[in-house]
Amino acid sequence: MAGTKEIKTHIESVQETRKITNAMYLIASTKLRRARQELDNTRPYFEALRREIKRIFRTVGDRVVESPYFYPAQGEPPLDKPSACLVITADKGLAGAYNQNAIKEALKLLEIHPDTKLYVVGEYGRRFFAAHNIPIEHSFLYTAQNPTMARAREISALLLEEFRGDRLDRIYVVYTDMGGGMAFEAKCTRVLPFHRAYFEDTARTESPVATPFDFLPSVEAVLDNMMPSYVSGFIYSALIDSFCCEQQARMTAMDSANQNGEKLLAELSLEFNRVRQSAITQEITEVSAGARAQRQKHRKEGR
């Protein structure tokens, strides 16, 4: 059985650890609020951009639109070039299964398309793929902890350059979607090329176009000018969503660690009191036994 000194040292260690986990919980909650605010500030622009793309397709009707950003009307062509996958992970651990879930989605895609080129955001993902000898095409440093629109444009510019250069067939993004409430889910989404149906508004919530639009110089040129901004917005949204999920997962992990620390402290305190009481009882027993022995000795000497 451990002595009081060892138990007291253990209690102090758990208390120091709880200070760290509590500080990490507060930091994660602050980062989460800030990231959500940034996403809310930029989301309306990209939602309006998507509505305008929908408006273009409603205006042209069944007309064939030739654009490298969209599949042809007859369906998806066969793959003859490698795909690209942007994998968004965190720079650090201590976030539950957040990183592992994103990596699992990337590995599933690699099983289906082994020639997929990996573009990795986050130190955790970079180290994982390096440790498993999985080649990485490009690693984006310092992006996972500081997602900005400028860095999203930097990522999209690199991917679009490869795509427009006819060196990639498809572009996927593996990220963690915040979803609703406290739940989040790792997803693998194809960003390019789009199906035209992706921008079709089946609900028809907007008013119909009364006067036909004139597209100068052409519909294809207008779409080619709009789609890079839309892709940048999608990547930025994926970075922010993943960052929010990371902070949410870290908050959950740190809260669980705090609760486990409280339980451990209660158990250690109980054990400490039990050992101390046992030591006090033993000391009292030893003192009583010594006093009794002294009395017996004095009696013998008196006789």
Side-chain angles (χ1 to χ4, degrees):
M1 180 182 293
T4 55
K5 183 177 180 181
E6 290 80 1
I7 298 175
K8 189 174 182 180
T9 302
H10 196 178
I11 290 175
E12 292 175 353
S13 175
V14 174
Q15 289 174 341
E16 292 298 324
T17 303
R18 287 187 68 247
K19 291 180 182 178
I20 296 173
T21 55
N22 188 54
M24 292 180 67
Y25 177 89
L26 296 176
I27 292 172
S29 63
T30 302
K31 289 183 177 179
L32 177 62
R33 288 195 301 270
R34 187 182 307 143
R36 281 181 170 173
Q37 184 63 41
E38 291 177 359
L39 183 61
D40 291 339
N41 291 338
T42 56
R43 193 188 296 274
Y45 168 76
F46 296 103
E47 289 179 350
L49 187 60
R50 181 173 180 177
R51 287 196 300 269
E52 293 306 315
I53 297 174
K54 289 180 180 180
R55 192 191 303 273
I56 291 174
F57 282 114
R58 286 206 313 273
T59 302
V60 299
D62 296 330
R63 173 184 165 186
V64 176
V65 178
E66 297 292 339
S67 173
Y69 300 104
F70 294 89
Y71 278 124
Q74 60 269 23
E76 299 184 10
L79 294 176
D80 56 0
K81 291 180 289 295
S83 301
C85 179
L86 176 67
V87 185
I88 302 175
T89 63
D91 286 332
K92 303 175 183 177
L94 297 177
Y98 165 79
N99 290 300
Q100 290 80 1
N101 291 338
I103 289 174
K104 285 179 182 178
E105 291 296 321
L107 294 178
K108 289 179 183 178
L109 181 63
L110 287 175
E111 290 180 1
I112 301 173
H113 305 292
D115 59 344
T116 299
K117 297 181 179 179
L118 292 180
Y119 295 79
V120 181
V121 172
E123 185 66 16
Y124 192 99
R126 187 190 68 79
R127 290 183 179 179
F128 176 87
F129 292 120
H132 291 77
N133 297 320
I134 300 175
I136 298 175
E137 187 72 18
H138 190 87
S139 180
F140 298 96
L141 302 177
Y142 314 115
T143 303
Q145 290 298 314
N146 186 22
T148 61
M149 192 63 219
R151 296 190 175 182
R153 288 195 178 99
E154 176 187 346
I155 296 172
S156 65
L158 178 61
L159 293 174
L160 288 174
E161 181 181 358
E162 294 292 312
F163 184 78
R164 287 192 293 251
D166 205 26
R167 292 183 289 273
L168 296 174
D169 261 337
R170 297 176 182 176
I171 297 177
Y172 296 88
V173 176
V174 172
Y175 70 104
T176 309
D177 185 19
M178 195 70 184
M182 304 290 288
F184 49 86
E185 174 187 10
K187 291 184 177 181
C188 180
T189 302
R190 188 186 66 215
V191 177
L192 288 176
F194 290 102
H195 279 293
R196 177 171 171 169
Y198 182 77
F199 290 97
E200 290 180 353
D201 190 2
T202 57
R204 303 290 182 180
T205 56
E206 300 177 10
S207 57
V209 178
T211 305
F213 291 102
D214 291 329
F215 299 98
L216 298 175
S218 64
V219 176
E220 289 79 5
V222 173
L223 286 174
D224 289 349
N225 188 51
M226 297 175 68
M227 292 310 298
S229 296
Y230 184 81
V231 173
S232 299
F234 184 92
I235 292 176
Y236 177 66
S237 177
L239 289 172
I240 293 291
D241 269 342
S242 297
F243 183 73
C244 290
C245 292
E246 176 196 347
Q247 303 310 318
Q248 183 66 57
R250 183 163 289 115
M251 287 172 59
T252 302
M254 293 304 102
D255 183 61
S256 178
N258 285 333
Q259 294 179 7
N260 292 335
E262 291 177 1
K263 293 180 181 179
L264 185 57
L265 283 176
E267 295 174 359
L268 289 173
S269 298
L270 184 61
E271 184 180 358
F272 177 81
N273 292 332
R274 187 184 297 114
V275 172
R276 185 178 62 177
Q277 186 64 40
S278 176
I280 293 173
T281 303
Q282 184 177 357
E283 290 178 1
I284 293 174
T285 303
E286 292 174 353
V287 170
S288 300
R292 185 168 57 252
Q294 289 293 329
R295 286 196 300 270
Q296 291 176 354
K297 180 180 179 182
H298 289 319
R299 287 173 187 170
K300 290 179 181 181
E301 290 177 353
R303 290 176 184 175

